[in-house]
Amino acid sequence: MNRTTWHRTALDRVPGGRDGRRMLLVSIIDKTGTGLWAGCTALYFTYVSGLGLGQVGLLMTVAGGVGIAGAPLAGRLADRFPLVRVIVAAQLMRGLALLALLTTDHFLLLTLYSALGALPDRAGSVLIKLYAARVAGPDRVRYQAIQRTTVNIGWSIGGLGAAAALATGDPRAYTYLLVGNVLTYLAIALLTLRCAEPTAPSRTVATSADAPKERPNSPWRDRTFLAYTATDAALFLDDTILQVAVPLWIVHATSAPVGLAPLLLVLNTVLVVLFQVPLSRFGATTPAARRLLVPLAGLFVLGTLALAASAAGGRTLAVTALVVAVIALTFAEILHATASWELSVALAPAEAQGAYLGVHGLAQSTQRFAGPLLVTGVMAAGPLAWPLLGLALVGAGAAQHRVIRDRVTPATEPSLSVPAVTVSEH
């Protein structure tokens, strides 16, 4: 098989056809731009806008808090308007809000623009998830795994670009990186406009054997879904542990060299790229996704125990334990991403899927907002607090496993879990 044939075969395996592949390109360009800007956001406000440390912290906290509302708002809009148009509007709003930062150094205006940008930023992941669920249908778990892989590649490209730009020592580099991110928003908006509007799940029918049980059309009245979302917020904590806690723990509690921190982040990215797609087959159905909560609990225990052990001895023990912790928590991230993707879609009724996924988006947004405070509190309490956190995460997983048990049987999977048959075909 020559290279061209292999390339075409690989593309054909991507669920969702041409539009699915195009949205993957949107994701990789989007995250490349985010990678350019995310790592130097605080530095821009410090060195270009001239804000103090306290002001930067307050600005980012306020923006993060406002951004929490982006996910449910996006879900509601996606149920009422064409999804592609909502995605494009969010992308353009992100770009305009970021571009507005160049117009002022005033703290209140910078906070306002950052908050306005945080709304569509948090909405973006929900909207792309909803598009993927509709365009990929029963292959949604595999599509999500491929999408997460492209996201990590994009982050890596953007991060390397940002590092190269900042290495020049030119203060104008911060502005160039901001503008570069704005240009990526324009590019992905143009690409998204070329995507066809996917068939809404409410226009999809299933056989009577696959029909879901009656459930509320509002996620705010669905106690099972709200309980699922609350427990999922806790399980998303692996992200904050890897991105925030591990670097700080290395510096403040272990004998490991500081240079290990970026290497561990690279290890995390490489493992996700290598294993996200292969492991997605273990969560390809809703009951299988629920079963992933069991090994997920074991990985959380192993990861937190290793973090505690990293503070118990010299450099060799610290480095070894940290590597084990990052590997365990990365595989926890992979399994949780697979399970969360499938379960959040499967628990949502077709006619209100956007609203449900929007509420589920609160899980990750809330964790991003409150997670750093929680893990820094754990670190302040000392090494023994890590296993306690691990046990708390096991409890969250067990609670989730129990609370959704009546909604994940094969006979109650939503219509998207079977091959889509549109009404017009009958």
Side-chain angles (χ1 to χ4, degrees), residues 230-317:
T231 55
D232 224 31
L235 297 181
F236 271 116
L237 199 63
D238 58 78
D239 181 62
T240 299
I241 295 174
L242 287 166
Q243 301 292 329
V244 178
V246 169
L248 292 175
W249 188 249
I250 289 173
V251 173
H252 295 288
T254 78
S255 301
V258 176
L260 181 65
L263 295 178
L264 291 176
L265 293 179
V266 171
L267 174 62
N268 167 258
T269 301
V270 170
L271 289 175
V272 171
V273 170
L274 290 177
F275 291 102
Q276 186 70 67
V277 174
L279 292 180
S280 67
R281 68 181 184 273
F282 295 108
T285 66
T286 312
R290 180 177 177 243
R291 288 193 294 270
L292 287 180
L293 296 173
V294 176
L296 176 63
L299 289 168
F300 275 130
V301 170
L302 176 59
T304 51
L305 283 173
L307 283 174
S310 67
R315 174 172 292 200
T316 301
L317 174 61

Side-chain angles (χ1 to χ4, degrees), residues 174-401:
Y174 299 105
T175 301
Y176 296 151
L177 292 172
L178 185 155
V179 173
N181 194 14
V182 171
L183 292 176
T184 63
Y185 290 140
L186 178 60
I188 61 176
L190 294 174
L191 278 172
T192 303
L193 284 172
R194 298 182 62 190
C195 293
E197 181 70 23
T199 302
S202 58
R203 296 183 59 193
T204 304
V205 298
T207 64
S208 59
D210 296 303
K213 289 182 177 179
E214 192 73 21
R215 64 189 68 169
N217 285 336
S218 170
W220 301 108
R221 294 196 298 269
D222 190 333
R223 294 181 180 179
T224 297
F225 194 82
L226 291 176
Y228 163 73
T229 298
T231 55
D232 224 31
L235 297 181
F236 271 116
L237 199 63
D238 58 78
D239 181 62
T240 299
I241 295 174
L242 287 166
Q243 301 292 329
V244 178
V246 169
L248 292 175
W249 188 249
I250 289 173
V251 173
H252 295 288
T254 78
S255 301
V258 176
L260 181 65
L263 295 178
L264 291 176
L265 293 179
V266 171
L267 174 62
N268 167 258
T269 301
V270 170
L271 289 175
V272 171
V273 170
L274 290 177
F275 291 102
Q276 186 70 67
V277 174
L279 292 180
S280 67
R281 68 181 184 273
F282 295 108
T285 66
T286 312
R290 180 177 177 243
R291 288 193 294 270
L292 287 180
L293 296 173
V294 176
L296 176 63
L299 289 168
F300 275 130
V301 170
L302 176 59
T304 51
L305 283 173
L307 283 174
S310 67
R315 174 172 292 200
T316 301
L317 174 61
V319 171
T320 303
L322 286 165
V323 170
V324 170
V326 168
I327 291 174
L329 292 170
T330 298
F331 278 101
E333 174 190 353
I334 292 170
L335 294 187
H336 178 241
T338 299
S340 180
W341 170 270
E342 171 61 23
L343 292 172
S344 61
V345 177
L347 294 174
E351 61 275 12
Q353 197 175 68
Y356 269 69
L357 292 184
V359 168
H360 180 258
L362 289 173
Q364 194 164 18
S365 296
T366 302
Q367 184 278 138
R368 287 177 178 173
F369 179 68
L373 181 62
L374 175 60
V375 297
T376 51
V378 169
M379 287 188 287
L384 292 180
W386 284 118
L388 294 178
L389 177 62
L391 290 176
L393 294 175
V394 170
Q400 183 175 118
H401 191 274

